[in-house]
Amino acid sequence: MSLFIVAGSPVSHSLSPAMHNAAFKALGMDDHHYGAVQVGIGDVDSVVSMLRSGRIAGANVTYPLKTVMASRVDALEGVAREIESVNTLVPHAGTVSGLSTDGDGCVRALESRGVSLEDASILLIGAGGAARGGPDARAVGNDRVGGTRMKELVVISGKGGTGKTSVIASFAALSRQAVLVDCDVDAAD
């Protein structure tokens, strides 16, 4: 059996196991299982060790572990090197690489809501690792629109979200189009 996990704290509310297990089933990959594992900051080395040994075949990382996990893996790939944050861990031959797909996910969320990135001004509000993906989102967005540059991407990062609504309202007043894409996950949801 190949075990894949999403690691974080809290993580019991995650929809990742249901999505991944449904995909495994649809693809006939009955020997694969995806689970949510509550992992505190003090336990990240254990997760990396299990990946290196092959006990875990791969992992996704969520709050609050993205930056801590980036400091524990053997190699950072792509933009993860620059932003020092990971959301995907890939084991290979006794080593573990960390990647970040947060920027791409941000761009896809905007595009799915009909937001054109061409000459766009975008405000990204977040905390921790996801907000670090902002510069990556700009790079991905610029690649997607054939080299046409986003006008600006502003990243506001901080825990707690105080003032988030007023910052969004101020930014929206400066723009002709405002789309709120809230990727915060509340354990109560």
Side-chain angles (χ1 to χ4, degrees):
M1 162 138 345
S2 296
L3 175 64
F4 298 84
I5 66 167
V6 57
S9 179
V11 76
S12 61
H13 64 281
S14 176
L15 299 176
S16 291
M19 291 186 303
H20 285 85
N21 287 324
F24 289 151
K25 184 176 181 175
L27 295 170
M29 300 170 71
D30 297 331
D31 61 339
H32 289 62
H33 179 74
Y34 190 101
V37 179
Q38 181 84 12
V39 176
I41 291 174
D43 300 319
V44 296
D45 290 329
S46 295
V47 172
V48 173
S49 177
M50 286 188 274
L51 285 157
R52 284 186 186 122
S53 72
R55 290 178 57 203
I56 299 174
N60 295 116
V61 180
T62 190
Y63 180 84
L65 306 178
K66 291 183 178 192
T67 55
V68 174
M69 207 58 95
S71 70
R72 301 300 207 289
V73 298
D74 300 300
L76 295 173
E77 303 292 331
V79 72
R81 261 185 252 114
E82 297 168 38
I83 65 174
E84 297 176 349
S85 174
V86 298
N87 68 354
T88 304
L89 302 177
V90 180
H92 179 71
T95 65
V96 178
S97 294
L99 301 93
S100 176
T101 61
D102 284 327
D104 185 54
C106 177
V107 169
R108 287 176 188 244
L110 291 167
E111 289 176 336
S112 74
R113 287 163 176 81
V115 176
S116 170
L117 299 177
E118 188 172 341
D119 199 32
S121 294
I122 296 176
L123 173 66
L124 174 64
I125 301 173
R132 288 182 182 221
D136 181 38
R138 184 172 187 163
V140 170
N142 287 337
D143 287 346
R144 289 260 177 92
V145 293
T148 303
R149 297 308 223 181
M150 281 187 214
K151 186 174 178 181
E152 68 179 317
L153 182 133
V154 178
V155 178
I156 297 177
S157 178
K159 181 95 174 91
T162 56
K164 185 189 291 188
T165 304
S166 63
V167 170
I168 292 170
S170 298
F171 186 78
L174 299 173
S175 302
R176 294 181 184 199
Q177 178 183 19
V179 175
L180 173 61
V181 178
D182 190 350
C183 296
D184 285 347
V185 177
D186 184 341
D189 288 347

